[in-house]
Amino acid sequence: MEEKTTRPGPKRSLSAEQIVTTAMDLFDGETPSIRGVAARLGVRPNTLYTYLPDRAALERALVDRLLAEADPDLLLGRRSWRRRIEDYACSLRTVLLRRRGAAALFHSAPMDGPNAMLVGERLLALFTSAGLSPSDASRATYAVIVHVLGSATLTAADLDGHTEEEVVAARQAVQIDPELLPLTAAAWSTTATWNTETQFRWSLHALLDGCAAR
Amino acid sequence: MEEKTTRPGPKRSLSAEQIVTTAMDLFDGETPSIRGVAARLGVRPNTLYTYLPDRAALERALVDRLLAEADPDLLLGRRSWRRRIEDYACSLRTVLLRRRGAAALFHSAPMDGPNAMLVGERLLALFTSAGLSPSDASRATYAVIVHVLGSATLTAADLDGHTEEEVVAARQAVQIDPELLPLTAAAWSTTATWNTETQFRWSLHALLDGCAAR
DNA sequence: ACCTGAACACCGTTCAAGT
DNA sequence: ACCTGAACACCGTTCAAGT
């Protein structure tokens, strides 16, 4: 009677949770594949279909895990509403950059899991406390989500396993013809740092300024 | 002597341009595949490797075509700098939503083609005209790019072939428990419209406000 | 110089069969 | 109830061979 973990079923050697956990350890530049996860678990690919309807279900579960890994509690506490949003946003960015291929998941899987809803609720609370109407708070919430995911995805693609320093150095080395693209050439030292946390914070800051002004 | 199209080579039945053009017509929810493009051209998959080094090259070419299709000339003219940015941004969003699977391309392929550079230069000019320093103009440019691509990608995933109206109606129908998520429940009528052009314009507007305040 | 046949190492998914 | 063997319909890519 003590070994009933979730349901009576006794023969079950796996679980959906275990599959998702295994998949979380398999990020390496690609989204974990059904066959890859099965191989890691020492099982045939089609075995996973006992626990998951399809690959999309795995992806949705991974999305929710990643949101939790960034620690939604960073949205609580007594720091300013802006600080709390920035802290969670940076944490999520870090999580998505550490697990290569994680950012891309958010663009094929809907964010409707429990952690997504929790993060949404807390962002709404923060924007409401900043004086926004419920409707504007909702719009601001999505604006922040778009920024974090869009930025993390582009940066993940650009890093592609290299460090931030390497990528910035490589971009700095590019020569822009000042005849053809004068402004691009003039601003290139900044443009070379587009995929850094500094840029991420700058644009998030600008976005929050614009939202707060509503 | 009149049939030399680009180079002397006489036997060549294809060209990289033709391959990319064929791929442009093949968007349907997935990124066009090497094998799919080859089949459409009535040729074996490996034939394409005569013209393209790999799939990544095809994707980079498609990204630049899509940027051009949105019409970078919308960034010119005598409308206000904000209007011009919003017009091009909305146009690019429309292009990316019309060609299903197009938005996802931007997250695997670098934006370093001629049209990407042109769009960048023009955005820099607009932000400079708004009073930003070269460095801030560069940061604002990337913030806008992140917003447009992030937003278009999330919306493309959410639409998945359905119309905006259908998706909004489906989200409106979702019931949120006001005990568990009071703010989410209260703001749900707005949250249901996250993937609309109205939301897109709202958050772009907020972002531009924040950038202009620098 | 260009195109192909054949192969390699992958995918997600289905379905009938075994235990 | 769970797992598997075998198969299906796909991928991108390589390489030796044909023209």
Side-chain angles (χ1 to χ4, degrees), chain A residues 67-82:
Chain A
L67 290 174
E69 191 169 285
D71 192 6
D73 287 352
L74 288 171
L75 293 167
L76 304 177
R78 48 206 223 326
R79 287 152 299 141
S80 74
W81 65 272
R82 302 184 62 123

Side-chain angles (χ1 to χ4, degrees), chain B residues 82-99:
Chain B
R82 301 183 64 122
R83 255 315 277 287
R84 285 187 265 169
I85 292 176
E86 286 178 28
D87 286 351
Y88 180 71
C90 284
S91 171
L92 182 53
R93 185 185 111 103
T94 302
V95 165
L96 296 183
L97 294 184
R98 186 168 45 214
R99 301 201 184 267

Side-chain angles (χ1 to χ4, degrees), chain A residues 52-142:
Chain A
L52 302 168
D54 52 24
R55 180 188 223 272
L58 174 62
E59 295 186 350
R60 281 194 297 146
L62 286 170
V63 159
D64 218 56
R65 283 273 186 106
L66 290 163
L67 290 174
E69 191 169 285
D71 192 6
D73 287 352
L74 288 171
L75 293 167
L76 304 177
R78 48 206 223 326
R79 287 152 299 141
S80 74
W81 65 272
R82 302 184 62 123
R83 253 319 275 287
R84 285 187 265 168
I85 291 177
E86 285 178 29
D87 285 352
Y88 180 71
C90 283
S91 172
L92 182 53
R93 185 186 111 104
T94 302
V95 165
L96 296 183
L97 294 184
R98 187 169 44 213
R99 301 203 184 263
R100 301 216 291 135
L105 272 183
F106 285 76
H107 299 298
S108 57
M111 281 172 288
D112 53 4
N115 287 303
M117 300 305 285
L118 178 68
V119 169
E121 179 78 8
R122 289 181 178 174
L123 285 172
L124 286 174
L126 289 171
F127 281 118
T128 302
S129 80
L132 271 67
S133 70
S135 177
D136 280 353
S138 170
R139 298 217 178 281
T141 293
Y142 192 58

